[in-house]
């Protein structure tokens, strides 16, 4: 079993998403540490991409800031950041980025470096089940979990995806792109039952979750809750001073889902 | 030539979010059914003939031929289609398909506005709602087309993200599709994106090469020596090439927008300057930096201002079946002016890229040889921009 499973050993998991390099890597490092101290169970580290087609405006802007401010961050600098973080951070860390970032680096070079710096998984929203073969063999070779998605439109695909899933399953809460939503109407409990019929691995719900109440609601049916845009907004608002606010937010959210 | 997963050699595929997977599978199944349905094909053919004005003329450009002093030049006049470009071929096919699938709403991206205008037109004809995403910069460059789309009843959404051009319009249309799938068909405008789009768009555009073949056989009793068309995403060129792929003696030449030159950063010549990558649902060639960040491309032509190319073109390049040559802004503008004065035909600035290459190639060929240039669209939309390029400010 992968290390990612351990993130779900302490009650429901809270999974924050942070775009690396927004506004700079030093802030990212401090924000990750603050999240860990305040109860984050797993962290999604975003490697920025110029054209993030699955993201709403908040994370699009974060990608743009990360790629332009102070000359912009690179994949190599982000690997170095993870090396530094690993001296202090033991919880599972996964990368969230787009296929071209991995492909252009050289898939084997990228995924073997993930293993070297102790990245536990890879989330690629533009790699659906049909295209897993692009990276799955290398992920298996280097012990990096390739995370699978389930969406409200997945329906007849859920069984197939869930049976082959590894690490955890990323359940997309609603149609559309990432971003804060006032209301989530999808029947998560029904999706959860279908997932459970097909796999024992944990599943976490993401997209649109920002308030403790929403997180608590989602965690009733799910093993974990993923929050991206709400955290990026804190970074956008507070810039270099954001880490303490990120810490406070993570604490509040983790308490809400316990 | 397409394997089950929509691959062209290593290119193609379906690199899209899980949310869209059932939508593209549903589209593929519907297309596989209707492409062989006699009633669907009868309706589409009627739309092509009665509404779009097909077949388009294959015009012998006699003055141009004499002036260049080499190969005989024929122009495939897609500019004479209803809405003024080849885009209508694909749009009528997809709109009819969407209608059969029970969709009531079309969304589309557009660069120069030609695909947006065509989509808005089909939506008006078929009583469908229409939303067109267009880079904000392009809404300025092509203000007339924005007005045409609105006149036709479409909503035009200016896209402000990224470089505010065609690639961002595609990204935004994809985002919109993930948020509203049940009633909405994404009417993609080129031979790009995830499978089955490259195949569907190619099939609907293949009428161009089908007609060229028949028309030239009738006129000349033989096939052309070269077919030349411009390439952005690559739909008019794919349509112009498709039925000639099997005829190995016919040179297929795609003209990419080199912008200010392929040795500068201000270029959109994907095959000449890009490398293999994964973006907008497909594996193909893309202009990108060493970390895979998509490059901000540039061309005077909004319709060719795209950092990628359709996967079937990428494959034709890999196997050496088609050639892809760069044409600069300056060369395209000269060809725009040349064809206007020589033949009284104002080509779209996109098509002028193909005309420019033909002007270089024809004099090196023999008089008994034949070049067909696809004039993918008419140039009225470009007049203000070309005037500005030449230092003249005119009001539309």
């Amino acid at each position: 079993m992968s290390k990612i499973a351990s993130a779900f050993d302490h009650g429901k998991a809270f999974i924050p998403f942070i775009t690396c390099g927004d506004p700079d890597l030093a802030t990212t490092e401090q924000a990750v540490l603050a999240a860990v101290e305040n109860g984050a169970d797993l962290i999604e580290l975003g490697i920025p991409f110029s054209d993030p087609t699955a993201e709403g405006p908040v994370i699009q802007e974060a990608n743009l800031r990360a790629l332009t401010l102070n000359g912009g961050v690179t994949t190599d600098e982000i690997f170095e950041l993870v090396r530094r973080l690993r001296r202090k951070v033991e919880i599972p860390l996964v990368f969230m980025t787009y296929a071209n970032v991995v492909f252009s680096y050289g898939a084997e070079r990228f995924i073997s470096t993930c293993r070297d710096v102790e990245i536990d998984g890879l989330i690629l929203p533009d790699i659906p089940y049909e295209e897993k073969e692009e990276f799955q063999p290398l992920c298996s070779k280097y012990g990096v979990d390739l995370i699978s998605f389930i969406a409200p439109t997945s329906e007849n695909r859920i069984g197939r995806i869930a049976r082959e899933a590894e690490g955890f399953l990323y359940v997309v809460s609603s149609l559309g792109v990432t971003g804060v939503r006032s209301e989530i109407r999808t029947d998560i409990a029904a999706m959860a039952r279908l997932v459970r019929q097909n796999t024992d691995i944990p599943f976490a719900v993401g997209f649109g979750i920002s308030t403790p109440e929403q997180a608590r609601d989602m965690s009733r049916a799910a093993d974990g809750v993923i929050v991206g845009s709400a955290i990026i907004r804190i970074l956008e608002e507070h810039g270099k001073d954001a880490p303490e606010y990120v810490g406070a937010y993570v604490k509040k959210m983790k308490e809400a889902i316990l | 030539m397409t394997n089950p997963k929509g691959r062209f050699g290593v290119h193609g595929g379906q690199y899209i979010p899980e949310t869209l997977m059932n939508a593209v599978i549903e589209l593929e199944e519907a297309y596989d059914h209707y492409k062989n349905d006699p009633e669907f094909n009868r309706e589409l053919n009627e739309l092509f003939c009665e509404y779009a004005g097909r077949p388009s003329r294959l015009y012998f450009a006699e003055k141009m031929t004499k002036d260049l002093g080499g190969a005989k030049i024929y122009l495939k006049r897609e500019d004479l289609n209803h809405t003024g470009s080849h885009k209508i071929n694909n749009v009528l096919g997809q709109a009819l398909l969407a209608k059969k699938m029970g969709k009531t709403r079309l969304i589309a991206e557009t660069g120069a506005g030609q695909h947006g205008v065509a989509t808005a037109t089909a939506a008006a004809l078929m009583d469908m709602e229409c939303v067109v995403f267009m880079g904000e910069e392009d809404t300025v460059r092509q203000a007339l087309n924005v007005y045409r789309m609105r006149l036709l009843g479409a909503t035009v959404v200016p896209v402000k993200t990224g470089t505010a051009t065609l690639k961002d319009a595609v990204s935004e249309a994809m985002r919109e599709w993930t948020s509203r799938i049940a009633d909405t068909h994404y009417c993609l405008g080129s031979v790009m994106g995830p499978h089955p789009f490259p195949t569907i768009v190619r099939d609907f555009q293949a009428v161009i090469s089908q007609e060229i073949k028949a028309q030239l056989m009738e006129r000349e009793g033989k096939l052309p020596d070269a077919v030349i068309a411009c390439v952005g995403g690559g739909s008019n060129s794919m349509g112009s090439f498709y039925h000639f792929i099997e005829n190995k003696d016919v040179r297929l030449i795609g003209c990419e927008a080199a912008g200010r030159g392929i040795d500068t950063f201000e270029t959109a010549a994907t095959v000449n300057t890009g490398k293999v990558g994964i973006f907008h649902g497909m594996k193909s060639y893309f202009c990108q930096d060493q970390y895979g960040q998509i490059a901000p491309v540039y061309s005077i032509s909004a319709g060719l201002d795209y950092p990628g190319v359709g996967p079937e073109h990428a494959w034709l390049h890999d196997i050496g079946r088609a050639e892809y040559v760069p044409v600069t802004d300056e060369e395209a503008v000269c060809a725009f002016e040349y064809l206007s004065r020589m033949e009284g035909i104002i080509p779209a600035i996109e098509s002028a890229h193909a005309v420019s290459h033909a002007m270089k190639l024809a004099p090196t060929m023999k008089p008994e040889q034949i070049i067909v240039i696809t004039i993918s669209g008419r140039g009225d939309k470009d007049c203000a921009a070309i005037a500005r390029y030449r230092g003249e400010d005119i009001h539309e």
Side-chain angles (χ1 to χ4, degrees):
Chain A
M1 189 180 282
S2 75
K3 188 179 161 192
I4 286 177
S6 69
F8 297 84
D9 285 348
H10 326 283
K12 306 284 182 174
F14 182 69
I15 305 173
F17 166 85
I18 296 173
T19 302
C20 295
D22 170 32
D24 55 41
L25 287 169
T27 307
T28 304
E29 188 171 349
Q30 293 309 312
V32 170
L33 293 174
V36 173
E37 274 166 34
N38 287 282
D41 297 290
L42 185 160
I43 293 179
E44 266 188 45
L45 294 169
I47 303 180
F49 181 52
S50 53
D51 300 80
T53 48
E55 314 294 351
V58 173
I59 298 181
Q60 283 179 46
E61 288 294 319
N63 278 276
L64 187 66
R65 287 194 296 273
L67 288 173
T68 53
L69 294 178
N70 314 307
V73 293
T74 65
T75 306
D76 287 315
E77 290 165 352
I78 291 168
F79 277 129
E80 287 311 309
L81 165 77
V82 177
R83 270 185 221 281
R84 287 197 299 279
L85 281 169
R86 272 298 180 211
R87 291 183 202 128
K88 296 172 187 165
V89 176
E90 288 184 1
I91 63 166
L93 298 174
V94 301
F95 274 147
M96 141 75 217
T97 189
Y98 285 78
N100 204 41
V101 170
V102 179
F103 184 83
S104 72
Y105 198 83
E108 180 143 24
R109 184 169 157 239
F110 185 97
I111 294 164
S112 64
T113 309
C114 285
R115 182 200 56 188
D116 294 346
V117 303
E118 296 175 63
I119 282 287
D120 302 289
L122 209 46
I123 302 176
L124 303 169
D126 52 352
I127 296 291
Y129 180 85
E130 278 72 2
E131 300 297 348
K132 278 205 309 184
E133 282 307 297
E134 187 76 46
F135 301 124
Q136 185 66 65
L138 288 166
C139 284
S140 301
K141 179 176 173 187
Y142 291 102
V144 176
D145 288 339
L146 184 60
I147 306 301
S148 298
F149 283 88
I150 285 176
T153 49
S154 295
E155 298 166 0
N156 56 340
R157 301 165 51 79
I158 291 180
R160 202 178 345 151
I161 295 169
R163 280 192 294 279
E164 293 181 27
E166 51 186 40
F168 73 93
L169 257 170
Y170 193 130
V171 175
V172 177
S173 76
S174 30
L175 294 181
V177 291
T178 58
V180 171
R181 288 168 175 72
S182 56
E183 194 185 4
I184 294 167
R185 293 208 194 88
T186 308
D187 187 351
I188 302 292
M191 286 170 80
R193 281 192 295 276
L194 273 172
V195 169
R196 275 290 157 265
Q197 285 166 17
N198 290 286
T199 181
D200 293 328
I201 70 159
F203 72 94
V205 181
F207 279 43
I209 301 165
S210 63
T211 67
E213 294 72 30
Q214 285 175 319
R216 190 180 299 124
D217 267 3
M218 290 296 137
S219 69
R220 287 202 182 97
D223 303 309
V225 171
I226 303 164
V227 171
S229 296
I231 289 172
I232 300 304
R233 275 185 176 175
I234 296 172
L235 280 144
E236 187 180 0
E237 183 181 350
H238 298 285
K240 290 178 198 300
D241 300 324
E244 65 170 295
Y245 297 96
V246 170
Y249 177 80
V250 169
K251 190 165 195 282
K252 184 172 69 175
M253 295 295 276
K254 177 67 183 174
E255 282 167 359
I257 63 170
L258 273 176
Chain B
M1 251 162 281
T2 314
N3 78 20
K5 280 183 79 187
R7 291 281 171 179
F8 303 93
V10 301
H11 305 286
Q14 294 180 305
Y15 299 88
I16 49 171
E18 171 60 23
T19 306
L20 288 177
M21 277 309 302
N22 266 330
V24 297
I25 291 169
E26 180 198 10
L27 177 62
E28 181 179 7
E29 287 170 356
Y31 180 64
D32 283 346
H33 170 75
Y34 284 110
K35 76 177 177 192
N36 299 315
D37 176 39
E39 176 60 18
F40 178 85
N41 285 299
R42 190 196 60 74
E43 283 180 58
L44 182 60
N45 191 50
E46 189 174 315
L47 285 168
F48 274 3
C49 299
E50 300 301 320
Y51 188 68
R54 302 211 70 87
S56 69
R57 313 296 303 195
L58 185 70
Y59 168 74
F60 173 46
E62 196 173 354
K63 277 185 73 197
M64 189 175 168
T65 299
K66 275 189 191 138
D67 182 64
L68 294 174
K72 271 179 110 165
I73 294 173
Y74 281 88
L75 306 179
K76 180 58 174 168
R77 300 289 309 276
E78 291 297 302
D79 58 315
L80 294 178
N81 296 341
H82 179 44
T83 74
S85 81
H86 71 292
K87 293 293 187 187
I88 195 74
N89 306 330
N90 166 46
V91 163
L92 288 174
Q94 282 199 50
L96 190 62
L97 182 61
K99 191 100 180 165
K100 301 266 181 206
M101 291 170 72
K103 307 285 178 184
T104 56
R105 182 171 175 261
L106 296 177
I107 59 170
E109 83 294 340
T110 196
Q114 297 301 89
H115 176 58
V117 167
T119 307
T121 299
L125 179 70
M126 299 189 197
D127 274 324
M128 297 171 90
E129 191 187 335
C130 181
V131 179
V132 179
F133 295 87
M134 187 170 188
E136 193 174 43
E137 187 176 320
D138 293 335
T139 63
V140 176
R141 285 198 280 194
Q142 301 289 347
L144 182 62
N145 273 342
V146 174
Y147 182 75
R148 291 169 76 196
M149 287 183 266
R150 292 201 174 121
L151 186 65
L152 291 158
T155 303
V156 179
V157 180
V159 177
K160 299 183 173 88
T161 52
T163 49
T165 58
L166 181 54
K167 92 175 155 74
D168 309 287
V170 174
S171 296
E172 212 49 41
M174 287 176 81
R175 289 182 184 118
E176 170 66 17
W177 204 26
T178 60
S179 68
R180 195 166 160 185
I181 297 166
D183 67 345
T184 299
H185 173 71
Y186 178 15
C187 187
L188 227 162
S190 194
V191 287
M192 46 162 286
H195 175 67
F197 286 107
T199 300
I200 290 181
V201 180
R202 176 253 278 155
D203 288 352
F204 288 141
Q205 293 293 2
V207 65
I208 302 174
S209 49
Q210 192 182 10
E211 287 177 5
I212 294 173
K213 225 174 187 175
Q215 290 165 324
L216 204 62
M217 283 308 284
E218 197 185 319
R219 288 285 296 263
E220 299 276 353
K222 60 176 185 171
L223 297 177
D225 295 276
V227 176
I228 306 181
C230 63
V231 183
S235 71
N236 93 81
S237 46
M238 202 62 239
S240 302
F241 294 173
Y242 185 65
H243 288 284
F244 293 110
I245 293 175
E246 61 182 16
N247 305 112
K248 306 284 186 223
D249 294 335
V250 179
R251 281 177 73 183
L252 306 176
I253 306 173
C255 301
E256 298 196 305
R260 298 194 215 279
I262 53 170
D263 49 353
T264 74
F265 287 105
E266 292 176 294
T267 180
T270 307
V271 176
N272 281 278
T273 67
K275 57 176 185 169
V276 178
I278 298 169
F279 183 50
H280 278 164
M282 59 182 169
K283 186 180 278 182
S284 187
Y285 289 97
F286 293 98
C287 299
Q288 54 185 311
D289 74 8
Q290 66 169 120
Y291 290 105
Q293 307 296 344
I294 303 303
V297 292
Y298 164 80
S299 163
I300 190 171
S301 147
L304 304 182
D305 200 354
Y306 181 72
V309 68
E312 194 164 5
H313 282 296
W315 175 71
L316 291 176
H317 167 75
D318 285 356
I319 62 170
R321 180 62 192 94
E323 308 155 54
Y324 295 87
V325 298
V327 175
T328 64
D329 283 0
E330 176 63 26
E331 291 170 325
V333 169
C334 289
F336 178 88
E337 294 164 341
Y338 176 86
L339 194 66
S340 300
R341 284 176 204 166
M342 188 56 63
E343 294 286 350
I345 295 170
I346 304 173
I349 188 63
E350 288 78 17
S351 323
H353 286 71
V355 174
S356 170
H357 188 70
M359 289 162 67
K360 290 178 217 165
L361 189 64
T364 70
M365 293 168 68
K366 299 188 192 83
E368 63 273 21
Q369 291 185 297
I370 297 168
I371 293 176
V372 175
I373 312 169
T374 298
I375 306 299
S376 55
R378 54 189 293 153
D380 310 48
K381 67 183 178 60
D382 299 306
C383 288
I386 303 301
R388 272 198 299 281
Y389 182 87
R390 290 297 191 211
E392 199 178 327
D393 201 14
I394 59 170
H395 295 282
E396 284 181 305

